[in-house]
Amino acid sequence: MAQVEKRGGLLRKSSASKKPLKEKVVLMYDEIFMTEDPSKCSPRFWEELFLMKVNLEYLEGKLESLDGEELMKIKDNINCLFQHCIQALGEEHPIRVVNALQTLCALIRGVHQKNKSTSGFDIINMLMGFDKAELCMKNLMESLDSLLCAEGSESLKSLCLKLLLCLVTVTDNISQNTILEYVMINSIFEAILQILSHPPSRREHGYDAVVLLALLVNYRKYESVNPYIVKLSIVDDEATLNYKDKEEEHQSGFFSALTNMVGSMFIADAHEKISVQTNEAILLALYEAVHLNRNFITVLAQSHPEMGLVTTPVSPAPTTPATPLGTTPPSSDVISSVELPLDADVQTSNLLITFLKYSSIVMQDTKDEHRLHSGKLCLIILTCIAEDQYANAFLHDDNMNFRVNLHRMPMRHRKKAADKNLPCRPLVCAVLDLMVEFIVTHMMKEFPMDLYVRCIQVVHKLLCYQKKCRVRLHYTWRELWSALINLLKFLMSNETVLLAKHNIFTLALMIVNLFNMFITYGDTFLPTPSSYDELYYEIIRMHQSFDNLYSMVLRLSTNAGQWKEAASKVTHALVNIRAIINHFNPKIESYAAVNHISQLSEEQVLEVVRANYDTLTLKLQDGLDQYERYSEQHKEAAFFKELVRSISTNVRRNLAFHTLSQEVLLKEFSTIS
């Protein structure tokens, strides 16, 4: 018997000389592409069509092959097909529903592809007709909502989400996708929430649901009221924050779901190096939750046991959440201490720890554009966290200590720290470590100025909280001071190259003002008086760097060039640092001369410092503990627009034919009753 080959909708006998036979569904598509109504001659046409296995490739290809004029001629038939697809979604037979969903994917993609080259028709009119569009989309969204919330097939839910992702990402700029107006009017926010709040559905569809939500939140977010933003900003599900019973886990709520989803994705990514673009979508979802919903900040702190995450690669599929400990919502901005498990084999973790570990990997390599975007987004998320009163209360809580194993870039001049020597400290120490790590590892020709500015801002916001609440953090501040001085040295030694691209004086001013913050208010937040002495020792020890910086900014502020104003601000900011150097240096030299010592030890220098504080005069500088709060719309709109475009393009590219395959579905619905 001759073998049967199948290609592009053709059934062909390889040994026969007869014309190839077209499969029936292809013949039916061909009828739709005629100007006549296909149901005129065969009344059961539409009924039969949705029993046929969809040929996505043929249908999309056929739509793409027509020009705008040809497409307009068959507009009525396309409208008819679209409406019958929506009707079929209400059928009892799952096979019809599956075929209708897949046909809708092909129609939406095919017509949009066509529209790229010719703008001679309107997408909504071509798919549905202006007069019927509102009702059509209402019915479509209601059907998808019902399918997503039903007890039924996971494969069907998956296909519904694929269709929605297809609908959202057909244009590069989602805000130009007019069909999304109907997705705004007929919100499916609750359906997405339900999927994310139910562990079995979350395991199956979590990624698609989170990406879909992140994209919908970004539709015309600055131009009109976006219902997805409104709803996300007011979610406050107590069940997430207060587990009563293991049996009630399925009611664990959106926050827990996103926490788990994001946590699992990050850990999986850190080990398996999943393509960076996919992380942008998850990071964007985390950012929107942190930025829009203050209640979500409380969830970052929820503890859960983390077993062997450092050594065992975890699959990208999110896992069911373990019951968080100490998840009572705070009555004020102070978090109650949490009892952590004492089992030596279980390291307690939370989303913030996972996020910090993940950031330490992503922020290492900023040469690639996607990595740069991800690194910037990590720093923006940390900025939102560093501004939040509750997050700071948790970060600085001395009763809640964690070991955070950050990724450190291998460098010639430092030893690799052994994991087992990691101290248990409040989480803010890990945030500061991450910032210090970034500062020391990115002094390079392709200088990531924007990321450095954000990094210094995060440190500044944390210091403002410590000063305001008089938190004395036991941290090795010397590492931060040393990193900041080395950064100043780098800016000076690469002045010409850097000034061609960046205003390095904004960064220099921020660094100098961090030192001013320690000088002016250090006695309110440094852990001990000796820490304050060490600060002075470090400034005196590295006085040459500050002297060189002063010479550089003085030179540029006395010239009439473009940097005059920016450089003069740094000149004024250096007044107290220079006062310290000019006050203590002669006294140290005098001490050395009197005692006939060529090189003083650190202890001897500190002795001179302590003895001469009283005669030091410093100027009071205003506004050191003030900062401009993060504002997305005014500062970051262009970045987010570009990021969403990149995510949208990537999602569309990954929604290939095979992801809409029927093989799994056919197994699931092998019989039609």
Side-chain angles (χ1 to χ4, degrees):
M1 188 177 163
Q3 280 187 320
V4 175
E5 288 181 34
K6 182 181 165 190
R7 274 200 205 104
L10 303 178
L11 292 171
R12 174 182 303 143
K13 284 188 177 177
S14 55
S15 62
S17 56
K18 290 177 186 174
K19 278 187 180 176
L21 298 170
K22 285 189 176 180
E23 52 184 308
K24 186 167 181 187
V25 74
V26 168
L27 292 168
M28 295 182 87
Y29 292 155
D30 287 346
E31 284 188 57
I32 295 167
F33 284 92
M34 306 288 183
T35 48
E36 287 288 311
D37 176 356
S39 62
K40 256 187 186 175
C41 301
S42 43
R44 288 175 58 82
F45 180 86
W46 300 110
E47 216 173 298
E48 285 181 17
L49 180 67
F50 295 110
L51 288 173
M52 302 283 162
K53 184 179 175 183
V54 177
N55 189 324
L56 277 167
E57 212 165 345
Y58 185 83
L59 187 51
E60 274 191 54
K62 189 82 173 168
L63 284 164
E64 283 178 46
S65 69
L66 302 178
D67 63 31
E69 210 175 299
E70 289 170 320
L71 209 53
M72 278 308 290
K73 284 178 185 170
I74 58 158
K75 176 183 132 5
D76 290 348
N77 282 357
I78 289 175
N79 288 178
C80 213
L81 175 57
F82 200 90
Q83 283 163 36
H84 278 94
C85 284
I86 294 168
Q87 280 172 27
L89 294 183
E91 295 267 0
E92 281 180 31
H93 299 313
I95 287 290
R96 288 185 192 278
V97 179
V98 167
N99 289 332
L101 287 167
Q102 292 187 311
T103 306
L104 283 168
C105 284
L107 262 181
I108 291 162
R109 290 203 305 199
V111 170
H112 266 92
Q113 281 293 107
K114 190 73 254 134
N115 199 36
K116 282 183 181 171
S117 52
T118 57
S119 51
F121 59 83
D122 184 279
I123 295 289
I124 294 172
N125 191 32
M126 180 53 67
L127 287 172
M128 296 166 267
F130 288 130
D131 53 336
K132 301 191 189 77
E134 205 168 317
L135 184 61
C136 258
M137 286 303 294
K138 180 176 183 288
N139 293 338
L140 173 60
M141 297 307 291
E142 281 176 1
S143 294
L144 292 174
D145 190 83
S146 302
L147 289 165
L148 288 171
C149 295
E151 290 284 299
S153 151
E154 294 303 330
S155 303
L156 260 185
K157 288 181 186 178
S158 176
L159 203 47
C160 287
L161 288 167
K162 294 276 190 280
L163 171 60
L164 284 161
L165 284 170
C166 172
L167 193 67
V168 174
T169 61
V170 278
T171 53
D172 287 347
N173 178 353
I174 63 168
S175 293
Q176 288 174 351
N177 185 353
T178 43
I179 292 184
L180 289 190
E181 281 301 324
Y182 300 107
V183 184
M184 295 295 127
I185 297 163
N186 305 285
S187 169
I188 46 153
F189 183 83
E190 283 73 19
I192 296 172
L193 236 62
Q194 188 172 315
I195 281 173
L196 288 175
S197 305
H198 188 55
S201 332
R202 180 168 70 242
R203 277 195 294 275
E204 288 281 336
H205 319 295
Y207 182 76
D208 282 352
V210 165
V211 173
L212 179 62
L213 184 58
L215 290 170
L216 289 171
V217 161
N218 279 278
Y219 174 73
R220 296 191 178 170
K221 57 155 51 168
Y222 310 120
E223 300 153 45
S224 57
V225 177
N226 178 323
Y228 293 86
I229 290 180
V230 175
K231 290 180 180 189
L232 181 57
S233 65
I234 57 174
V235 171
D236 180 15
D237 42 4
E238 289 287 311
T240 317
L241 302 167
N242 208 349
Y243 281 79
K244 293 186 183 69
D245 207 299
K246 199 75 173 154
E247 276 69 47
E248 289 181 16
E249 201 170 80
H250 67 282
Q251 299 172 328
S252 60
F254 166 64
F255 291 154
S256 166
L258 186 58
T259 301
N260 230 258
M261 267 294 307
V262 173
S264 306
M265 286 284 170
F266 287 160
I267 291 296
D269 182 80
H271 287 286
E272 300 183 8
K273 300 283 183 282
I274 295 167
S275 83
V276 177
Q277 294 95 312
T278 58
N279 302 335
E280 289 176 349
I282 294 293
L283 269 182
L284 180 63
L286 177 63
Y287 162 75
E288 296 295 359
V290 168
H291 177 234
L292 294 173
N293 194 315
R294 188 179 175 279
N295 297 315
F296 186 73
I297 295 272
T298 63
V299 179
L300 291 170
Q302 287 182 9
S303 304
H304 59 82
E306 174 188 58
M307 304 186 73
L309 287 181
V310 179
T311 51
T312 318
V314 179
S315 81
T319 50
T320 310
T323 307
L325 304 162
T327 52
T328 313
S331 51
S332 67
D333 278 330
V334 182
I335 186 170
S336 56
S337 71
V338 169
E339 220 179 343
L340 303 177
L342 299 172
D343 184 345
D345 298 327
V346 178
Q347 159 73 38
T348 300
S349 185
N350 55 41
L351 179 59
L352 198 49
I353 291 174
T354 309
F355 172 66
L356 290 172
K357 287 180 183 179
Y358 173 79
S359 299
S360 71
I361 294 168
V362 167
M363 283 161 53
Q364 289 299 339
D365 176 17
T366 55
K367 295 184 188 77
D368 167 82
E369 190 191 5
H370 288 292
R371 288 260 173 182
L372 189 66
H373 278 173
S374 294
K376 181 171 176 174
L377 200 42
C378 287
L379 282 166
I380 290 176
I381 292 168
L382 283 170
T383 301
C384 294
I385 290 168
E387 280 184 10
D388 185 88
Q389 183 80 1
Y390 171 77
N392 268 306
F394 167 69
L395 285 172
H396 291 86
D397 191 332
D398 219 12
N399 297 312
M400 298 181 66
N401 295 318
F402 300 90
R403 282 191 182 87
V404 184
N405 185 17
L406 297 175
H407 176 76
R408 286 162 65 85
M409 197 184 271
M411 294 177 84
R412 278 198 303 273
H413 59 273
R414 68 177 181 190
K415 288 178 185 171
K416 192 177 187 302
D419 296 345
K420 61 175 179 281
N421 296 335
L422 285 172
C424 226
R425 304 172 297 171
L427 267 182
V428 68
C429 297
V431 179
L432 289 165
D433 282 351
L434 181 62
M435 298 301 98
V436 169
E437 180 65 17
F438 181 85
I439 292 168
V440 298
T441 55
H442 287 80
M443 297 180 215
M444 51 198 179
K445 203 165 83 173
E446 288 299 316
F447 188 69
M449 175 76 173
D450 178 50
L451 300 193
Y452 265 106
V453 167
R454 289 168 198 281
C455 183
I456 304 298
Q457 283 172 340
V458 169
V459 175
H460 180 233
K461 285 169 185 183
L462 295 172
L463 289 182
C464 289
Y465 175 83
Q466 290 167 23
K467 180 254 171 187
K468 181 179 141 198
C469 299
R470 295 185 171 259
V471 176
R472 295 189 183 277
L473 184 70
H474 288 273
Y475 182 71
T476 44
W477 290 112
R478 199 175 250 190
E479 285 184 13
L480 174 67
W481 300 330
S482 169
L484 293 170
I485 292 168
N486 284 329
L487 179 53
L488 284 176
K489 283 160 78 174
F490 176 81
L491 294 179
M492 288 183 282
S493 57
N494 295 278
E495 176 195 342
T496 317
V497 177
L498 292 174
L499 274 179
K501 292 181 183 176
H502 311 288
N503 175 2
I504 57 172
F505 301 108
T506 47
L507 186 57
L509 181 64
M510 291 169 77
I511 296 166
V512 170
N513 277 338
L514 275 188
F515 278 101
N516 285 331
M517 184 102 178
F518 280 104
I519 293 163
T520 311
Y521 301 118
D523 58 335
T524 65
F525 63 82
L526 285 170
T528 58
S530 63
S531 312
Y532 200 67
D533 303 339
E534 280 172 15
L535 167 69
Y536 277 63
Y537 173 78
E538 204 60 28
I539 291 170
I540 295 158
R541 188 176 74 86
M542 300 302 291
H543 73 89
Q544 195 63 58
S545 299
F546 291 109
D547 293 344
N548 293 345
L549 177 64
Y550 183 72
S551 304
M552 175 180 138
V553 290
L554 193 64
R555 167 169 50 84
L556 287 158
S557 62
T558 48
N559 293 344
Q562 70 175 111
W563 306 116
K564 183 180 170 73
E565 196 184 336
S568 65
K569 284 181 183 172
V570 184
T571 314
H572 297 309
L574 280 164
V575 62
N576 282 342
I577 291 174
R578 297 191 73 247
I580 290 166
I581 293 164
N582 294 335
H583 176 73
F584 287 106
N585 262 359
K587 294 186 168 44
I588 289 164
E589 284 163 15
S590 163
Y591 179 92
V594 168
N595 292 284
H596 307 292
I597 305 167
S598 59
Q599 190 147 10
L600 298 187
S601 68
E602 183 175 334
E603 198 40 61
Q604 288 166 326
V605 172
L606 287 171
E607 196 182 311
V608 176
V609 168
R610 289 186 198 109
N612 289 282
Y613 272 134
D614 296 350
T615 50
L616 172 68
T617 308
L618 296 175
K619 284 188 178 175
L620 191 64
Q621 291 174 307
D622 292 330
L624 291 174
D625 58 343
Q626 305 296 312
Y627 58 81
E628 189 183 348
R629 288 189 69 82
Y630 170 76
S631 164
E632 181 191 313
Q633 186 167 352
H634 298 107
K635 299 279 178 74
E636 311 295 348
F639 167 68
F640 280 102
K641 192 175 174 183
E642 194 48 50
L643 181 71
V644 172
R645 180 186 287 266
S646 160
I647 292 167
S648 179
T649 309
N650 192 56
V651 170
R652 184 172 67 237
R653 195 168 46 236
N654 290 333
L655 275 175
F657 291 113
H658 64 84
T659 63
L660 305 168
S661 155
Q662 275 186 324
E663 304 311 315
V664 179
L665 295 157
L666 288 174
K667 277 180 195 164
E668 202 171 322
F669 313 125
S670 52
T671 56
I672 299 175
S673 52

